[in-house]
Amino acid sequence: MAEKSEKPEKPEKKKDKPQTRAEREADRRRVILRAAVEVFSKKGYLGCRIQDVAKEAGVAYGLVYHYFKNKDELLESVFASGWQNFLGRVQSEIGRDQDLASRVRGVVHVAFEAYRRDPKGVKVLILEVGRSPAGGAVNRGSAFSAVIVAAAQMFAAAQQRNEIPSHLDPTLAATMLFGCIEMGLTSFVMGLLDKRDDQAIERARDQVAETFLNGITQARAGTGASIPNVRTIRSADTSAGGIETARQRPRPSN
Amino acid sequence: MAEKSEKPEKPEKKKDKPQTRAEREADRRRVILRAAVEVFSKKGYLGCRIQDVAKEAGVAYGLVYHYFKNKDELLESVFASGWQNFLGRVQSEIGRDQDLASRVRGVVHVAFEAYRRDPKGVKVLILEVGRSPAGGAVNRGSAFSAVIVAAAQMFAAAQQRNEIPSHLDPTLAATMLFGCIEMGLTSFVMGLLDKRDDQAIERARDQVAETFLNGITQARAGTGASIPNVRTIRSADTSAGGIETARQRPRPSN
DNA sequence: GCCCGCATTGACTCCGGAATCAATTTTCCG
DNA sequence: CGGAAAATTGATTCCGGAGTCAATGCGGGC
């Protein structure tokens, strides 16, 4: 549907505007989408105004509404164009016909590469799409789960093949993998590591992949040697801890 | 400062209201703070209305402003009471006079325990305080960094004592640790794992701790065997990937 | 060159939510 | 008790931002 009418009368005469109407339209759409990513990454979905997006895109306020029904659909589109893409890549890595290690490295690589190409986009995905309650209607979260689930299956299969110990929970393993990746990236976003240092990004990528692989591969397997003395100290405080904002009686008065 | 005036005329006559004025006042404050946590966790900081907080707390709209200067200070207080507390616990674990493994387990334990006690509170800290651009003014992020930095120092010191390989980046190691913890918890928040299953929480906790420790401890150390063949496949696609929303020319038309 | 129609504009409406405040109730002291 | 001060209420004000729309510009088909 919506095939661009093959005009023989438009033989690319100028490189500036060789585009058919439909092309320019699509371009506009992309520009606005891109601007949205930019702005969302700065202020968050709820924190930003359509005016910001319009300004960033260099178009009039109203035009945003010409291309997108409303703010929510805009976010939805950012999501679709960005995350779907990312998700596809990750899943293709996961699905590769290779040993676990290679595939894990592949996943890590894809994530870091995406970050290198488009930090802002990744930031939005991580912050808004991945978890934020923003909007709320859509499937966001579920799509995020999708990657986890896919990775979990990969680990489960690896267990069948004895590539990793069977006592591990595949879902949790998947979770940890993406936790490492995500926080690794976040530490760049937040300036804990220098994002302009390509070397650093590569080193981070490799350390994440290798450390995680070590952890999971050589896990003190079913030998049972793992869970035993996990809690050595602790215990005394079990009563006190937590985030707990409201306590019943702050302290027993004394 | 602000010591409760020791009234001899208030000998705890009723268990319902044995409180001095200052006590009741503090209670109210806590109730509102708690309500804020509750509501923030549902809708996010920007997504919720003061009215929601008031209703949740069972008080009048205006009262919220009696106890807190504005919405932002409210978030700030949630932050202070929750995160500071958590931060303190984590740092005390980090500072313990023990081997690295025990301390890492301690940190993981504290985090998971906090979550078990108050999932909502943790969620807010993770989602809003930790990273969200919400508000923006405050130091949020920096406080988040604080834990990372503290943990990084722990790892650096452990390297001195040869407890872990020297080629690891301590900051990144810290980052990965909290990444694993955070995502582990998130998977409960998101329903990937059953949060009502205490067993599951404990198992998750231990798996996170042990896997991470394995990964970091036995890392194919400075043998140099690690970074080499990291990138085996990949490479061909380096040009394609990313989140990239707006591409210059979608494809060479053809 | 002349229209037709879609792209584009930005002023305007409308609403919801933050913050204020005068009025009312409660507390607690002498 | 009496009354002053603090707690508590919710209607009211005010503002900023989402979404609308009539007016204008522009491309491209004839």
Side-chain angles (χ1 to χ4, degrees), chain A residues 1 10 13 22 24-25 29 53 94 96 108 114 128 141 162-163 168 173-175 179 190-191 229 236 246 250:
Chain A
M1 58 264 344
K10 275 288 151 189
K13 49 168 67 175
R24 282 209 285 74
E25 203 168 312
R29 203 187 153 81
V53 176
I94 288 177
R96 268 205 162 71
V108 173
E128 303 294 332
N162 281 315
E163 288 185 286
L168 293 174
T175 273
M190 290 181 50
N229 63 336

Side-chain angles (χ1 to χ4, degrees), chain A residues 30 85 89 105 109 117 131 169 172 179 183 186 204 206-207 211 215 218-219 227 231 234 239 241-242 250, chain B residues 30 85 89 93 109 117 131 169 172 179 183 186 204 206-207 211 214-215 218 227 230-231 234 239 241-242 250:
Chain A
R30 256 180 254 118
N85 184 354
R89 287 170 184 285
R105 291 193 187 103
H109 188 274
R117 304 196 106 243
R131 19 265 285 251
D169 178 310
L172 193 55
M183 272 297 293
T186 301
D206 295 339
Q207 179 174 329
T211 303
Q218 317 181 0
I227 325 292
R231 301 203 59 270
R234 217 73 349 61
S239 59
Chain B
R30 257 181 252 118
N85 184 354
R89 286 171 184 283
E93 289 299 326
H109 187 274
R117 305 194 106 244
R131 22 259 284 248
D169 178 313
L172 194 53
M183 273 296 291
T186 300
D206 295 338
Q207 180 174 327
T211 303
N214 274 322
Q218 317 182 0
I227 322 295
V230 167
R231 302 201 59 272
R234 219 69 347 65
S239 58

Side-chain angles (χ1 to χ4, degrees), chain B residues 74-92:
Chain B
L74 183 54
L75 178 60
E76 213 50 55
S77 299
V78 168
F79 164 73
S81 73
W83 185 259
Q84 298 298 8
N85 184 354
F86 177 69
L87 177 59
R89 286 171 184 283
V90 168
Q91 281 182 321
S92 115

Side-chain angles (χ1 to χ4, degrees), chain B residues 101-180:
Chain B
S102 300
R103 286 183 294 165
V104 166
R105 293 193 186 104
V107 170
V108 173
H109 187 274
V110 163
F112 273 78
E113 192 55 33
Y115 179 74
R116 173 149 49 192
R117 305 194 106 244
D118 182 10
K120 303 274 186 57
V122 172
K123 185 179 176 189
V124 174
L125 292 185
I126 291 176
L127 259 38
E128 301 295 331
V129 177
R131 22 259 284 248
S132 157
V138 260
N139 50 340
R140 321 277 158 77
S142 76
F144 184 67
S145 318
V147 211
I148 303 277
V149 170
Q153 285 168 348
M154 171 175 74
F155 288 120
Q159 285 180 324
Q160 300 287 332
R161 276 177 272 115
N162 281 314
E163 288 185 283
I164 56 173
S166 61
H167 68 84
L168 294 174
D169 178 313
T171 297
L172 194 53
T175 272
M176 289 178 65
L177 171 58
F178 285 99
C180 289

